[in-house]
């Protein structure tokens, strides 16, 4: 203010406008952490680019989610540009990411919804529509909704709908995406995943999933702990892309926070869904412990199998 011969309030207002327009970005240097150690281990085993967000040991689940959402919003803003397509799923984490976006005007860009949002209680238009609209507003991008339910009642209905030209056009747009942005769904936890907490699944559905060994979902497609999904009946009614379909998108960004997400993250990594993983330090630590435990169990099983029969 002294250098520009202006009032402090004017400088504050100009900085606020510069930040909201995307001209200025203010960031804090992270405190020392174990993030590099976690990053190397996860990246080495699964061949993904890992970004571990430092958080304090006393951080709550919601605080961890906010930190991951802030970091994700910044990274996606850096990656996304004019004439690109960003395909986004909906959910608790993506809702948080949308709240931390800064303005970055682009031209000829599109935000496309990855999975349907309606169920037998609501159209999902308010929740999902508001979420993807915030991405569209941040990037001055055209928004393409996906006007189908999250899950069809019958797999045959889904197959018929996929032949409709209006739906096929959105599916093709999803396939042409440059970036896919999603999180990992988990049944339990302090911050429950939206697909499990907002009436998208009946109690019988959840029991069937649990009995089948399902640990979570990506874009409403359910996964077992080993990353398999193909033979799960409910996936035939889901409207999100399968892991095989997601793999056609070059940059697949997964943002996740929470202890309950550790096993589902490992399932998604085994399924080869993720190219860029953004998670908080506590979740990364839990993932490392899980990976180490699984490795020890595997080594023990190999040793036992090589012992001579007695």
């Amino acid at each position: 203010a002294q250098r520009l011969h202006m009032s402090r309030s004017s400088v504050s207002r100009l900085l606020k406008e510069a930040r909201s327009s995307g001209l200025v970005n203010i960031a804090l240097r992270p405190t020392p952490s174990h993030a590099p150690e976690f990053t190397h281990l996860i990246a080495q085993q699964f061949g993904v680019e890992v970004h571990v967000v430092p958080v304090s040991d006393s951080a709550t689940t919601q605080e961890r989610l906010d930190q991951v959402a802030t970091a994700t919003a910044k990274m996606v803003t850096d990656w996304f540009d004019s004439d690109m397509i960003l395909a986004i799923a909906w959910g608790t984490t993506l809702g948080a990411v949308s709240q931390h976006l800064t303005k970055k005007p682009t031209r000829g860009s599109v935000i496309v919804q990855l999975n349907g949002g309606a169920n037998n209680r609501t159209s999902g238009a308010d929740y999902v529509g508001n979420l993807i609209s915030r991405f569209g507003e941040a990037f001055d991008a055209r928004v393409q909704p996906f006007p189908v339910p999250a899950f069809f009642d019958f797999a045959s209905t889904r197959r018929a709908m996929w032949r409709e030209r209006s739906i096929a056009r959105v599916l093709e747009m999803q396939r042409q995406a440059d970036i896919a942005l999603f999180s990992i769904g988990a049944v339990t936890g302090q911050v429950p995943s939206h697909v499990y907490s907002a009436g998208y699944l009946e109690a019988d559905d959840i029991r069937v999933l649990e009995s089948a060994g399902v640990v979570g979902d990506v874009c409403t497609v359910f996964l077992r702990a080993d990353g398999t999904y193909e033979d799960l009946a409910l996936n035939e009614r889901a409207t999100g892309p399968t892991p095989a379909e997601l793999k056609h998108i070059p940059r697949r960004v997964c943002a996740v926070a929470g202890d309950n997400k550790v096993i589902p993250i490992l399932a998604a990594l085994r399924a080869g869904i993720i190219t860029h993983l953004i998670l908080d330090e506590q979740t990364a630590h839990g993932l490392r412990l899980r990976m180490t435990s699984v490795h020890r169990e595997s080594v023990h099983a190999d040793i036992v199998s090589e012992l001579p029969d007695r």
Side-chain angles (χ1 to χ4, degrees), residues 86 173 233:
L86 171 62
M173 192 177 295

Side-chain angles (χ1 to χ4, degrees), residues 73-244:
K74 182 182 184 307
M75 291 180 200
V76 171
T77 300
D78 290 341
W79 292 328
F80 189 62
D81 216 326
S82 297
D83 300 315
M84 293 179 70
I85 299 176
L86 171 62
I88 63 172
W90 48 262
T92 305
T93 303
L94 269 293
V97 173
S98 71
Q99 300 285 354
H100 292 280
L101 293 168
T102 55
K103 188 74 173 178
K104 180 184 179 180
T106 62
R107 294 182 178 180
S109 58
V110 179
I111 310 296
V112 61
Q113 182 181 332
L114 262 180
N115 48 325
N119 60 31
N120 62 358
R121 298 176 178 85
T122 174
S123 67
D126 290 340
Y127 175 77
V128 181
N130 289 337
L131 191 158
I132 64 174
S133 291
R134 285 193 287 270
F135 279 86
E137 292 166 2
F139 300 121
D140 285 348
R142 179 165 67 89
V143 172
Q144 176 57 64
F146 193 27
V148 295
F151 302 96
F152 285 104
D153 289 335
F154 305 99
S156 58
T157 307
R158 176 184 180 276
R159 290 192 293 270
M161 285 293 292
W162 263 217
R163 293 194 295 268
E164 291 291 327
R165 286 181 296 172
S166 60
I167 300 301
R169 180 179 62 84
V170 181
L171 293 172
E172 180 59 27
M173 192 177 295
Q174 294 173 359
R175 286 190 285 269
Q176 296 300 318
D178 301 279
I179 303 172
L181 178 60
F182 52 88
S183 187
I184 305 286
V187 180
T188 61
Q190 294 179 354
V191 183
S193 300
H194 195 78
V195 69
Y196 302 103
S197 63
Y200 286 90
L201 295 172
E202 302 295 338
D204 288 344
D205 293 328
I206 294 178
R207 281 192 289 270
V208 168
L209 293 174
E210 290 176 345
S211 65
V214 167
V215 296
D217 75 280
V218 173
C219 303
T220 61
V221 173
F222 299 99
L223 304 172
R224 296 188 183 90
D226 61 1
T228 58
Y229 65 92
E230 296 90 339
D231 60 334
L232 295 171
L234 192 54
N235 285 341
E236 297 179 5
R237 300 194 279 117
T239 55
T242 66

Side-chain angles (χ1 to χ4, degrees), residues 28-34 54-55 281:
L28 298 177
R29 188 185 302 276
T31 56
S33 71
H34 296 291
V55 295
E281 192 170 0

